[in-house]
Amino acid sequence: MKLNKWMKKSQHPLLRTEAVWVALTLIIVFASLRYDDFLSPYNIESFFSYNSMFILISIGMCFVIMTGGIDLSVGGVVALSSVMVAYVSPYGIVTALIVGALTGLICGLINAVVIIRLRIAPFIATLAMMLASRGVALLVSGKQSVPISWEGSFPEYGMGLMFDLIPWPVVVCLVIAIMAWVLLEKMPFGRAVLAVGEDEEAAKLMGLKVNKTITLVYVISGVLAGLAGVTLAASFGAGQPAEGVGWELIAISAVVVGGTLLTGGLGSITASIAGVVLMGLIFNILNFENGYGSFTISTYWQSVIRGLFLLLVLIIQAEVLKRLRNKKTAQ
């Protein structure tokens, strides 16, 4: 009861996440009116199949950031997982999913131990894991892509459709998104995550198991990055030890665009997913424009646009926080 009352007081109308939904709606309306093939089954399937990997790592990143932490290792974990599952791909998709999840779990658990037991800042601890996981991926793969086995069920996961309608990675992503939403919005764990992010010392005084909560969010982030690695290998036909560079920044950007505070204490799974979709649609639109020949934007300029977009969101978020603090001071 005390925790529920505290969590209600911690929410504030200025920090709602409606903005990302408004922006997403406007972009979809604009694109559907301008491009004939924007709402085609092929574009929708390929868009969500590819972005399902970013949705997975963004869900994990959302949990971590809500506690006031950060996970820079997700890109390296995705690369390592893709290599590991490529080696076990002859044994089918179930084995691959288990190996991918276990790879991520181990990395996430190591992150948590280093942060909690050794009292290393999350930025440094996960940066070290990013370098270590990528190094292991390159060593295990011999610095080369690892081809998957085209026999059995593994290739079907990356290229097949459930009921000839929905790509399998999207199905898995949807199930995980629902589970994450329930975990955050309906379970005591979700309230504990927000409480730890709002004020770790206060959370301890309320009797919350802070270390356990922090451990679980890094494990969740690792497992989801591992599952993203399964999708990467199945979709591209090989484990990719050099892939995933900068993916942690994409996840952080999407979570921030969705309204989650980098300082912790407030966040939304659905809005983070909307953030992924919003950022993905921006580049989807740029690709359509390149195809129209109106103008050509290279991948380098697309990175610049992504950076400027994130900077704009951070400026807006900082302004919201400033007004919130001023209002609290005035009271």
Side-chain angles (χ1 to χ4, degrees):
M1 180 64 71
K2 183 188 294 186
L3 178 58
N4 289 332
K5 290 182 178 179
W6 182 86
M7 287 307 302
K8 289 179 180 179
K9 291 180 181 179
S10 71
Q11 306 296 325
H12 193 280
L14 285 176
L15 297 177
R16 293 174 182 171
T17 58
E18 285 88 348
V20 68
W21 296 105
V22 172
L24 185 58
T25 301
L26 291 175
I27 287 181
I28 291 175
V29 171
F30 165 78
S32 60
L33 292 175
R34 178 165 172 77
Y35 312 113
D36 294 335
D37 295 329
F38 179 75
L39 295 179
S40 66
Y42 174 79
N43 188 54
I44 294 174
E45 288 175 8
S46 59
F47 175 84
F48 281 103
S49 182
Y50 178 71
N51 282 281
S52 65
M53 295 181 289
F54 300 113
I55 291 175
L56 287 175
I57 62 176
S58 295
I59 290 173
M61 188 69 74
C62 184
F63 276 108
V64 171
I65 291 179
M66 282 189 292
T67 63
I70 200 76
D71 189 354
L72 300 180
S73 68
V74 290
V77 174
V78 169
L80 175 59
S81 172
S82 74
V83 170
M84 300 301 292
V85 300
Y87 282 120
V88 300
S89 60
Y91 302 100
I93 184 58
V94 174
T95 300
L97 288 170
I98 293 173
V99 170
L102 283 176
T103 300
L105 186 149
I106 293 170
C107 294
L109 190 59
I110 293 174
N111 280 336
V113 170
V114 172
I115 291 168
I116 295 171
R117 298 298 181 187
L118 302 182
R119 299 185 180 278
I120 303 297
F123 181 91
I124 301 300
T126 58
L127 177 62
M129 177 55 70
M130 177 184 74
L131 298 173
S133 58
R134 192 166 296 283
V136 173
L138 290 169
L139 286 172
V140 172
S141 65
K143 301 181 182 179
Q144 295 180 345
S145 297
V146 180
I148 66 170
S149 170
W150 293 98
E151 303 293 332
S153 60
F154 187 75
E156 179 67 19
Y157 175 76
M159 302 172 189
L161 302 175
M162 180 182 181
F163 304 127
D164 293 325
L165 183 64
I166 306 174
W168 282 106
V170 177
V171 175
V172 172
C173 188
L174 181 61
V175 171
I176 290 174
I178 293 173
M179 293 172 61
W181 181 85
V182 171
L183 192 61
L184 177 63
E185 302 291 341
K186 303 298 181 181
M187 304 294 287
F189 173 74
R191 294 190 289 273
V193 166
L194 296 176
V196 171
E198 180 73 17
D199 191 328
E200 186 173 320
E201 292 302 320
K204 290 179 179 178
L205 292 175
M206 286 189 293
L208 297 178
K209 297 179 180 179
V210 172
N211 288 346
K212 181 179 179 181
T213 301
I214 293 175
T215 299
L216 286 175
V217 298
Y218 282 99
V219 167
I220 290 172
S221 182
V223 168
L224 295 185
L227 293 178
V230 178
T231 300
L232 176 64
S235 300
F236 286 76
Q240 306 286 343
E243 192 57 73
V245 177
W247 285 25
E248 61 281 346
L249 300 181
I250 296 175
I252 294 170
S253 301
V255 170
V256 172
V257 167
T260 298
L261 298 181
L262 282 173
T263 52
L266 188 140
S268 168
I269 296 298
T270 53
S272 295
I273 294 173
V276 176
V277 176
L278 176 61
M279 297 188 69
L281 283 178
I282 291 174
F283 297 106
N284 192 228
I285 288 174
L286 291 176
N287 289 332
F288 271 104
E289 286 294 338
N290 286 343
Y292 269 32
S294 303
F295 54 84
T296 301
I297 297 181
S298 68
T299 55
Y300 305 110
W301 277 108
Q302 290 183 16
S303 297
V304 172
I305 293 172
R306 177 183 291 149
L308 291 175
F309 185 73
L310 177 59
L311 178 61
L312 176 62
V313 172
L314 289 173
I315 291 173
I316 294 173
Q317 191 180 92
E319 183 63 25
V320 170
L321 287 172
K322 181 180 178 181
R323 292 183 181 183
L324 177 58
R325 293 192 190 99
N326 290 339
K327 186 171 182 178
K328 284 184 177 180
T329 302
Q331 293 175 347

